[in-house]
Amino acid sequence: MRSARFAALNRGEQRAVRYYSHMKLNMAEEEDYMSDSFINVQEDIRPGLPMLRQIREARRKEEKQQEANLKNRQKTLKEEEQERRDIGLKNALGCENKGFALLQKMGYKSGQALGKSGGGIVEPIPLNIKTGKSGIGHEASLKRKAEEKLESYRKKIHMKNQAEEKAAEQFRMRLKNKQDEMKLEGDLRRSQRACQQLDVQKNIQVPREAWYWLRLEEETEEDEEEKEQDEDEYKSEDLSVLEKLQILTSYLREEHLYCIWCGTAYEDKEDLSSNCPGPTSAAHD
């Protein structure tokens, strides 16, 4: 029956009926309160949104009740004493006070400084009431202990800083000594090498001391049993690097007129003394 009526309509009327039916279907879907669009709606709890009227009223009543309870509550004895004391200290002394009356009879006027010449105090001595349970002098004791603790802390920090500075200085000294020792060993090897070359040029086959040359220091260990050494002669293991360098430098300057730091062999002693700064490395810096 319905399809027959629909077929009897013209094409424009059929199009209108279809559009109306489609709109009706969409409205039915939108108004479905059991659909996910209504069930899964989450409450917007973003901050800054206005509160509901009932919540605001309840909070306002609670605040008023707290204020009323604070006003109506019974004050403690200490609070009442403090209030009476504050009121009494705010009010100036009147003629009903016997002490003030005696001052007025002696010529004192309100607001005037005490003393015959008016050089005394104007305001009364302030009243400092001790409300705590600690004994007299307890606060001074606490203050003294705090100062002692602070002084002890400062001493510890000072001693720590001194120890760190001393350790750093010792490290620098050890590093400097190590560098100086390495420099002395390098200068000694250069002197031994130069001594060997200069001795060979003069057809000297055996050095004056075994350690004067580099290559003979180990070979002389086998010949120690065959050679007799005088007690006044130096032994290589008994001399430090600095002593060896000093002895070898003196030998090179006297025998070969040579300075390892200048790197030059001079013509005579006068030329050596006038052109060479000195027999040490520091003199050449």
Side-chain angles (χ1 to χ4, degrees):
M1 183 76 177
R2 186 176 180 181
S3 59
R5 290 179 181 177
F6 183 80
L9 298 175
N10 57 26
R11 186 172 297 178
E13 291 174 343
Q14 289 179 1
R15 190 181 297 112
V17 171
R18 290 194 191 98
Y19 177 76
Y20 178 76
S21 300
H22 181 69
M23 291 293 296
K24 209 173 175 186
L25 181 62
N26 289 339
M27 290 177 64
E29 289 180 357
E30 291 177 357
E31 294 176 358
D32 187 7
Y33 294 99
M34 296 300 293
S35 63
D36 294 338
S37 60
F38 284 89
I39 294 175
N40 297 330
V41 172
Q42 295 183 355
E43 184 181 357
D44 194 352
I45 54 174
R46 289 177 296 174
L49 295 177
M51 292 186 300
L52 297 176
R53 183 176 180 181
Q54 293 83 357
I55 298 176
R56 291 200 301 269
E57 290 295 333
R59 181 165 295 182
R60 191 180 296 110
K61 288 181 181 180
E62 185 179 356
E63 292 176 355
K64 288 183 178 180
Q65 185 66 30
Q66 290 178 358
E67 292 178 0
N69 293 338
L70 187 62
K71 290 181 180 179
N72 296 331
R73 76 177 182 87
Q74 187 177 2
K75 297 180 180 179
T76 62
L77 182 61
K78 288 185 178 181
E79 291 176 346
E80 292 178 356
E81 290 178 354
Q82 183 66 31
E83 288 182 358
R84 290 197 299 269
R85 188 183 304 116
D86 294 340
I87 294 172
L89 292 175
K90 289 179 181 178
N91 298 329
L93 295 176
C95 298
E96 68 276 3
N97 187 275
K98 293 183 179 180
F100 188 74
L102 289 173
L103 287 173
Q104 284 183 329
K105 289 180 180 180
M106 291 186 290
Y108 174 78
K109 295 180 181 179
S110 181
Q112 182 182 356
L114 297 180
K116 185 177 181 180
S117 59
I121 61 174
V122 178
E123 296 294 332
I125 298 174
L127 181 63
N128 296 323
I129 297 179
K130 182 176 176 57
T131 58
K133 295 183 180 180
S134 59
I136 298 174
H138 181 68
E139 294 180 359
S141 176
L142 291 177
K143 184 178 180 181
R144 185 179 65 256
K145 289 181 180 179
E147 291 177 353
E148 291 176 355
K149 189 175 180 181
L150 179 61
E151 185 65 24
S152 175
Y153 175 75
R154 288 175 177 173
K155 287 182 179 178
K156 288 181 180 179
I157 293 297
H158 182 65
M159 293 176 63
K160 183 180 178 182
N161 293 336
Q162 284 186 338
E164 290 178 353
E165 292 177 0
K166 186 176 180 180
E169 184 65 25
Q170 290 177 351
F171 174 76
R172 287 193 292 267
M173 290 298 296
R174 288 196 302 269
L175 186 62
K176 185 177 181 302
N177 293 337
K178 187 175 181 180
Q179 292 175 348
D180 293 343
E181 185 177 355
M182 292 175 64
K183 188 175 183 300
L184 288 175
E185 290 176 355
D187 291 342
L188 179 60
R189 286 193 294 271
R190 287 170 56 197
S191 300
Q192 289 173 330
R193 194 176 297 110
C195 181
Q196 182 178 355
Q197 293 175 358
L198 294 173
D199 285 348
V200 171
Q201 289 177 4
K202 287 188 175 183
N203 295 323
I204 299 176
Q205 302 299 326
V206 179
R208 180 176 296 184
E209 295 288 342
W211 54 269
Y212 275 28
W213 291 5
L214 278 176
R215 64 182 180 84
L216 289 180
E217 279 193 308
E218 297 180 358
E219 295 177 1
T220 52
E221 293 180 0
E222 300 176 356
D223 301 336
E224 282 182 357
E225 299 178 358
E226 300 177 1
K227 295 181 180 179
E228 295 181 358
Q229 297 181 353
D230 195 4
E231 295 181 357
D232 296 335
E233 291 181 352
Y234 291 104
K235 294 182 180 179
S236 175
E237 58 271 13
D238 295 336
L239 298 174
S240 64
V241 176
L242 179 60
E243 291 173 339
K244 288 182 179 180
L245 180 61
Q246 291 174 347
I247 295 172
L248 192 53
T249 301
S250 178
Y251 172 78
L252 290 172
R253 294 173 70 89
E254 293 176 359
E255 296 295 329
H256 302 289
L257 303 175
Y258 181 78
C259 176
I260 62 168
W261 295 287
C262 296
T264 305
Y266 295 92
E267 296 180 357
D268 50 26
K269 291 184 178 180
E270 184 179 355
D271 186 21
L272 175 65
S273 61
S274 60
N275 294 319
C276 181
T280 62
S281 174
H284 292 75
D285 292 340

Coordinates of all heavy atoms in Angstrom, one line a residue, residues 45-110:
I45 N 36.4 18.8 33.7 CA 36.9 19.2 35.0 C 38.1 20.2 34.9 O 39.0 20.2 35.7 CB 37.3 18.0 35.9 CG1 38.3 17.1 35.2 CG2 36.1 17.2 36.3 CD1 38.9 16.0 36.0
R46 N 38.1 20.9 33.8 CA 39.2 21.9 33.6 C 39.1 22.9 34.7 O 38.0 23.4 35.0 CB 39.1 22.5 32.2 CG 39.4 21.5 31.1 CD 39.2 22.2 29.7 NE 37.7 22.6 29.6 CZ 37.3 23.3 28.5 NH1 38.1 23.7 27.6 NH2 36.0 23.6 28.5
P47 N 40.3 23.4 35.2 CA 40.3 24.4 36.2 C 39.9 25.8 35.6 O 40.1 26.1 34.5 CB 41.8 24.5 36.6 CG 42.6 24.0 35.4 CD 41.6 22.9 34.8
G48 N 39.3 26.6 36.5 CA 38.9 27.9 36.1 C 37.4 28.0 35.8 O 36.8 29.1 35.6
L49 N 36.7 26.8 35.7 CA 35.3 26.9 35.3 C 34.5 27.3 36.5 O 34.8 27.0 37.7 CB 34.8 25.5 34.9 CG 35.4 25.0 33.6 CD1 35.0 23.5 33.3 CD2 35.1 25.9 32.4
P50 N 33.4 28.0 36.4 CA 32.6 28.5 37.5 C 31.9 27.3 38.2 O 31.5 26.3 37.6 CB 31.5 29.4 36.9 CG 31.5 29.0 35.4 CD 32.9 28.5 35.1
M51 N 31.9 27.4 39.6 CA 31.3 26.3 40.3 C 29.8 26.4 40.3 O 29.2 27.5 40.0 CB 31.8 26.4 41.8 CG 33.2 26.1 42.0 SD 33.7 26.1 43.7 CE 33.3 27.8 44.2
L52 N 29.1 25.3 40.6 CA 27.7 25.3 40.7 C 27.2 26.2 41.8 O 27.9 26.4 42.8 CB 27.2 23.9 40.8 CG 27.5 23.0 39.6 CD1 27.0 21.6 40.0 CD2 26.8 23.5 38.4
R53 N 26.0 26.7 41.7 CA 25.5 27.5 42.7 C 25.3 26.8 44.1 O 25.6 27.4 45.1 CB 24.1 28.0 42.3 CG 23.5 29.0 43.2 CD 22.2 29.5 42.7 NE 21.5 30.5 43.6 CZ 20.4 31.1 43.4 NH1 19.7 30.8 42.2 NH2 19.9 31.9 44.2
Q54 N 24.9 25.6 44.1 CA 24.8 24.8 45.3 C 26.1 24.7 46.1 O 26.2 24.8 47.3 CB 24.2 23.5 45.1 CG 22.7 23.5 44.6 CD 22.7 23.7 43.1 OE1 23.7 23.9 42.4 NE2 21.4 23.7 42.6
I55 N 27.2 24.4 45.3 CA 28.5 24.2 45.9 C 29.0 25.6 46.5 O 29.5 25.6 47.6 CB 29.5 23.7 44.9 CG1 29.0 22.3 44.4 CG2 30.9 23.6 45.4 CD1 29.9 21.7 43.3
R56 N 28.8 26.6 45.8 CA 29.2 27.9 46.3 C 28.5 28.3 47.6 O 29.1 28.8 48.5 CB 29.0 29.0 45.2 CG 29.9 28.9 44.0 CD 30.0 30.2 43.3 NE 28.7 30.7 42.8 CZ 28.1 30.4 41.6 NH1 28.8 29.6 40.8 NH2 26.9 30.8 41.3
E57 N 27.2 28.0 47.6 CA 26.4 28.3 48.8 C 26.9 27.5 50.0 O 27.0 28.0 51.1 CB 24.9 28.1 48.5 CG 24.3 29.1 47.6 CD 24.3 30.5 48.1 OE1 24.2 30.6 49.4 OE2 24.3 31.5 47.4
A58 N 27.1 26.2 49.7 CA 27.6 25.3 50.8 C 28.9 25.8 51.4 O 29.1 25.8 52.6 CB 27.6 23.9 50.3
R59 N 29.8 26.2 50.5 CA 31.1 26.7 51.0 C 31.0 28.0 51.7 O 31.7 28.2 52.7 CB 32.1 26.8 49.8 CG 33.4 27.3 50.1 CD 34.4 27.1 49.0 NE 34.6 25.7 48.7 CZ 35.4 25.2 47.7 NH1 36.1 26.0 47.0 NH2 35.5 23.9 47.5
R60 N 30.1 28.9 51.3 CA 29.9 30.1 52.0 C 29.4 29.9 53.4 O 29.8 30.5 54.3 CB 29.0 31.0 51.1 CG 29.0 32.5 51.7 CD 28.1 33.3 50.8 NE 28.5 33.5 49.4 CZ 28.0 32.9 48.4 NH1 26.8 32.2 48.5 NH2 28.4 33.1 47.2
K61 N 28.4 29.0 53.5 CA 27.9 28.7 54.8 C 28.9 28.1 55.7 O 29.0 28.4 56.9 CB 26.7 27.7 54.7 CG 25.5 28.4 54.0 CD 24.4 27.3 53.9 CE 23.1 28.0 53.3 NZ 22.0 27.0 53.2
E62 N 29.8 27.2 55.2 CA 30.8 26.6 56.0 C 31.8 27.6 56.5 O 32.3 27.6 57.6 CB 31.5 25.5 55.1 CG 32.6 24.7 55.9 CD 33.2 23.7 55.1 OE1 32.8 23.5 53.9 OE2 34.2 23.0 55.6
E63 N 32.2 28.6 55.7 CA 33.1 29.7 56.1 C 32.5 30.5 57.2 O 33.2 30.9 58.1 CB 33.5 30.5 54.9 CG 34.4 29.8 53.9 CD 34.7 30.6 52.6 OE1 34.1 31.7 52.6 OE2 35.4 30.2 51.8
K64 N 31.2 30.9 57.0 CA 30.5 31.7 58.0 C 30.5 30.9 59.4 O 30.6 31.5 60.4 CB 29.1 32.0 57.6 CG 29.1 33.1 56.5 CD 27.6 33.4 56.1 CE 27.6 34.5 55.0 NZ 26.2 34.8 54.7
Q65 N 30.2 29.6 59.3 CA 30.2 28.8 60.5 C 31.5 28.8 61.2 O 31.6 28.8 62.4 CB 29.7 27.4 60.2 CG 29.5 26.5 61.4 CD 28.3 27.0 62.2 OE1 27.4 27.6 61.7 NE2 28.4 26.7 63.5
Q66 N 32.6 28.7 60.4 CA 33.9 28.7 61.0 C 34.2 30.0 61.7 O 34.8 30.0 62.8 CB 35.0 28.3 59.9 CG 34.9 26.9 59.4 CD 35.9 26.6 58.4 OE1 36.7 27.5 57.9 NE2 36.0 25.4 57.9
E67 N 33.9 31.1 61.0 CA 34.1 32.4 61.6 C 33.3 32.6 62.9 O 33.8 33.1 63.9 CB 33.7 33.5 60.7 CG 34.6 33.6 59.4 CD 34.2 34.6 58.5 OE1 33.1 35.3 58.7 OE2 34.8 34.8 57.4
A68 N 32.0 32.1 62.9 CA 31.2 32.2 64.2 C 31.8 31.3 65.3 O 31.9 31.8 66.4 CB 29.8 31.7 63.8
N69 N 32.3 30.1 64.9 CA 32.9 29.3 66.0 C 34.2 29.9 66.5 O 34.5 29.8 67.7 CB 33.3 27.9 65.4 CG 32.0 27.1 65.0 OD1 30.9 27.4 65.5 ND2 32.2 26.2 64.1
L70 N 35.0 30.6 65.7 CA 36.2 31.3 66.1 C 35.9 32.4 67.1 O 36.6 32.7 68.0 CB 37.0 31.8 64.9 CG 38.4 32.3 65.2 CD1 39.3 31.3 65.8 CD2 39.0 32.9 63.9
K71 N 34.8 33.1 66.8 CA 34.4 34.3 67.6 C 33.8 33.8 69.0 O 34.1 34.4 70.0 CB 33.4 35.2 66.9 CG 34.0 35.9 65.8 CD 32.9 36.8 65.1 CE 33.5 37.5 63.9 NZ 32.5 38.4 63.2
N72 N 33.1 32.7 68.9 CA 32.3 32.3 70.1 C 33.1 31.4 71.0 O 32.7 31.0 72.1 CB 31.0 31.6 69.7 CG 30.1 32.5 69.0 OD1 30.1 33.7 69.2 ND2 29.3 32.0 68.1
R73 N 34.3 30.9 70.5 CA 35.0 30.0 71.4 C 35.6 30.6 72.6 O 35.9 31.8 72.6 CB 36.2 29.3 70.5 CG 37.4 30.2 70.3 CD 38.4 29.4 69.6 NE 39.6 30.2 69.4 CZ 40.6 30.3 70.2 NH1 40.5 29.6 71.4 NH2 41.7 31.0 70.0
Q74 N 35.8 29.9 73.6 CA 36.3 30.5 74.9 C 37.8 30.7 74.8 O 38.6 29.8 74.4 CB 36.0 29.6 76.1 CG 36.3 30.1 77.4 CD 35.9 29.2 78.5 OE1 35.4 28.1 78.3 NE2 36.2 29.6 79.8
K75 N 38.3 31.9 75.1 CA 39.7 32.2 75.0 C 40.4 31.6 76.2 O 39.9 31.5 77.3 CB 39.9 33.7 75.0 CG 39.3 34.4 73.8 CD 39.5 35.9 73.8 CE 38.9 36.5 72.6 NZ 39.1 38.0 72.6
T76 N 41.7 31.2 75.9 CA 42.5 30.7 77.0 C 43.0 31.8 78.0 O 42.9 32.9 77.7 CB 43.7 29.9 76.4 OG1 44.5 30.9 75.7 CG2 43.3 28.8 75.4
L77 N 43.5 31.3 79.1 CA 43.9 32.3 80.1 C 45.1 33.1 79.6 O 45.2 34.4 79.8 CB 44.4 31.5 81.4 CG 44.8 32.4 82.5 CD1 43.7 33.3 83.0 CD2 45.3 31.5 83.7
K78 N 46.0 32.5 78.8 CA 47.1 33.3 78.3 C 46.7 34.3 77.3 O 47.2 35.4 77.2 CB 48.1 32.3 77.6 CG 48.9 31.5 78.6 CD 49.9 30.6 77.9 CE 50.7 29.8 78.9 NZ 51.8 29.0 78.2
E79 N 45.7 34.0 76.5 CA 45.2 34.9 75.5 C 44.5 36.1 76.1 O 44.6 37.3 75.7 CB 44.2 34.2 74.5 CG 44.9 33.2 73.6 CD 43.9 32.5 72.7 OE1 42.7 32.5 73.0 OE2 44.3 31.8 71.8
E80 N 43.7 35.8 77.2 CA 43.0 36.9 77.9 C 44.1 37.8 78.6 O 43.9 39.1 78.6 CB 42.1 36.3 79.0 CG 40.9 35.6 78.4 CD 40.0 35.0 79.4 OE1 40.4 35.1 80.6 OE2 38.9 34.5 79.0
E81 N 45.1 37.2 79.2 CA 46.2 38.0 79.8 C 46.9 38.9 78.8 O 47.2 40.1 79.0 CB 47.2 37.1 80.5 CG 46.6 36.5 81.8 CD 47.6 35.6 82.4 OE1 48.7 35.4 81.8 OE2 47.3 35.0 83.5
Q82 N 47.1 38.3 77.6 CA 47.8 39.1 76.6 C 47.0 40.2 76.1 O 47.5 41.4 75.9 CB 48.2 38.1 75.4 CG 48.9 38.8 74.3 CD 50.3 39.2 74.7 OE1 50.9 38.6 75.5 NE2 50.8 40.3 74.1
E83 N 45.7 40.0 75.9 CA 44.8 41.1 75.5 C 44.7 42.2 76.5 O 44.8 43.4 76.2 CB 43.4 40.6 75.2 CG 43.3 39.7 74.0 CD 41.9 39.2 73.7 OE1 41.0 39.5 74.5 OE2 41.7 38.5 72.7
R84 N 44.6 41.9 77.8 CA 44.5 42.9 78.8 C 45.8 43.6 78.9 O 45.9 44.9 79.1 CB 44.2 42.2 80.2 CG 42.8 41.7 80.3 CD 42.4 41.5 81.8 NE 43.2 40.5 82.4 CZ 43.0 39.2 82.4 NH1 41.9 38.7 81.8 NH2 43.8 38.3 83.0
R85 N 46.9 42.9 78.8 CA 48.3 43.6 78.8 C 48.4 44.6 77.6 O 48.9 45.7 77.8 CB 49.3 42.5 78.8 CG 50.7 43.1 79.0 CD 51.8 42.0 78.9 NE 51.5 40.9 79.8 CZ 51.2 39.6 79.4 NH1 51.2 39.4 78.1 NH2 51.0 38.7 80.3
D86 N 48.0 44.1 76.5 CA 48.1 45.0 75.3 C 47.3 46.3 75.5 O 47.7 47.4 75.1 CB 47.7 44.3 74.0 CG 48.7 43.2 73.7 OD1 49.8 43.2 74.2 OD2 48.3 42.2 72.9
I87 N 46.1 46.1 76.0 CA 45.2 47.3 76.2 C 45.8 48.2 77.2 O 45.8 49.4 77.1 CB 43.8 46.8 76.6 CG1 43.1 46.0 75.5 CG2 42.9 48.0 77.1 CD1 41.8 45.4 75.9
G88 N 46.3 47.6 78.3 CA 46.9 48.5 79.3 C 48.2 49.2 78.9 O 48.4 50.4 79.2
L89 N 49.0 48.6 78.0 CA 50.2 49.2 77.5 C 49.9 50.3 76.5 O 50.6 51.3 76.4 CB 51.1 48.2 76.9 CG 51.8 47.2 77.9 CD1 52.6 46.1 77.2 CD2 52.6 47.9 78.9
K90 N 48.8 50.2 75.8 CA 48.4 51.2 74.8 C 47.9 52.5 75.5 O 48.0 53.5 74.9 CB 47.3 50.6 73.9 CG 47.9 49.6 72.9 CD 46.8 49.0 72.0 CE 47.3 48.0 71.1 NZ 46.2 47.4 70.2
N91 N 47.3 52.3 76.6 CA 46.7 53.5 77.3 C 47.8 54.2 78.1 O 48.5 53.5 78.9 CB 45.5 53.1 78.2 CG 44.4 52.5 77.4 OD1 44.2 52.8 76.2 ND2 43.6 51.5 78.0
A92 N 47.8 55.5 78.1 CA 48.7 56.3 78.9 C 48.3 56.3 80.3 O 47.1 56.2 80.6 CB 48.9 57.7 78.3
L93 N 49.2 56.6 81.2 CA 48.9 56.7 82.7 C 48.1 57.9 82.9 O 48.4 59.0 82.4 CB 50.2 56.7 83.5 CG 51.0 55.4 83.5 CD1 52.3 55.5 84.3 CD2 50.2 54.2 84.0
G94 N 47.1 57.8 83.9 CA 46.3 59.0 84.2 C 46.6 59.4 85.6 O 47.5 58.9 86.3
C95 N 45.8 60.4 86.0 CA 46.0 60.9 87.4 C 45.6 59.9 88.5 O 46.0 60.1 89.7 CB 45.1 62.2 87.6 SG 45.5 63.5 86.4
E96 N 44.9 58.9 88.1 CA 44.5 57.9 89.1 C 45.7 57.0 89.5 O 45.7 56.3 90.6 CB 43.4 57.0 88.6 CG 43.7 56.1 87.5 CD 43.6 56.8 86.1 OE1 43.4 58.0 86.1 OE2 43.9 56.1 85.1
N97 N 46.8 57.0 88.7 CA 48.0 56.3 89.1 C 48.8 57.1 90.1 O 49.1 58.3 89.9 CB 48.8 56.1 87.8 CG 50.0 55.2 88.0 OD1 51.1 55.7 88.4 ND2 49.9 53.9 87.7
K98 N 49.2 56.5 91.2 CA 49.8 57.2 92.3 C 51.2 57.7 91.9 O 51.6 58.8 92.2 CB 50.0 56.3 93.5 CG 48.6 56.0 94.1 CD 48.8 55.1 95.4 CE 47.4 54.8 96.0 NZ 47.6 54.0 97.2
G99 N 51.9 56.9 91.1 CA 53.3 57.3 90.7 C 53.2 58.5 89.8 O 54.0 59.4 89.9
F100 N 52.3 58.4 88.8 CA 52.1 59.6 87.9 C 51.7 60.8 88.6 O 52.1 61.9 88.3 CB 51.1 59.2 86.8 CG 51.1 60.2 85.7 CD1 52.1 60.3 84.8 CD2 50.0 61.0 85.6 CE1 52.0 61.2 83.7 CE2 49.9 61.9 84.6 CZ 50.9 62.0 83.6
A101 N 50.8 60.6 89.6 CA 50.3 61.8 90.4 C 51.5 62.4 91.2 O 51.6 63.7 91.2 CB 49.2 61.4 91.4
L102 N 52.4 61.6 91.7 CA 53.6 62.2 92.4 C 54.5 63.0 91.5 O 55.0 64.0 91.8 CB 54.3 61.1 93.1 CG 53.7 60.4 94.3 CD1 54.5 59.2 94.8 CD2 53.5 61.4 95.5
L103 N 54.7 62.4 90.2 CA 55.5 63.1 89.3 C 54.9 64.5 88.9 O 55.6 65.5 88.7 CB 55.6 62.2 88.0 CG 56.5 61.0 88.1 CD1 56.5 60.2 86.9 CD2 58.0 61.5 88.4
Q104 N 53.5 64.5 88.8 CA 52.9 65.8 88.4 C 53.1 66.8 89.6 O 53.2 68.0 89.3 CB 51.4 65.5 88.2 CG 51.1 64.9 86.8 CD 49.7 64.7 86.5 OE1 48.9 64.5 87.5 NE2 49.3 64.8 85.3
K105 N 53.0 66.3 90.8 CA 53.2 67.3 91.9 C 54.6 67.8 91.9 O 54.9 69.0 92.4 CB 53.0 66.5 93.3 CG 51.5 66.2 93.5 CD 51.3 65.5 94.8 CE 49.8 65.2 95.1 NZ 49.6 64.5 96.3
M106 N 55.6 67.1 91.4 CA 57.0 67.6 91.3 C 57.3 68.4 90.0 O 58.4 68.7 89.8 CB 58.0 66.4 91.4 CG 58.0 65.7 92.8 SD 59.3 64.4 92.9 CE 58.5 63.2 91.9
G107 N 56.2 68.6 89.3 CA 56.3 69.5 88.1 C 56.4 68.8 86.8 O 56.7 69.4 85.7
Y108 N 56.2 67.5 86.8 CA 56.3 66.7 85.5 C 55.1 66.9 84.7 O 53.9 67.0 85.2 CB 56.5 65.2 85.8 CG 56.5 64.3 84.6 CD1 57.6 64.3 83.7 CD2 55.3 63.6 84.3 CE1 57.5 63.5 82.6 CE2 55.3 62.8 83.2 CZ 56.4 62.8 82.3 OH 56.3 62.0 81.2
K109 N 55.2 67.1 83.4 CA 54.1 67.2 82.5 C 54.2 66.0 81.5 O 55.2 65.5 81.2 CB 54.2 68.5 81.7 CG 54.0 69.7 82.6 CD 54.1 71.0 81.8 CE 53.9 72.2 82.8 NZ 54.0 73.5 82.0
S110 N 53.0 65.6 81.0 CA 52.9 64.5 80.1 C 53.7 64.7 78.8 O 53.6 65.8 78.2 CB 51.5 64.2 79.8 OG 51.4 63.0 78.9

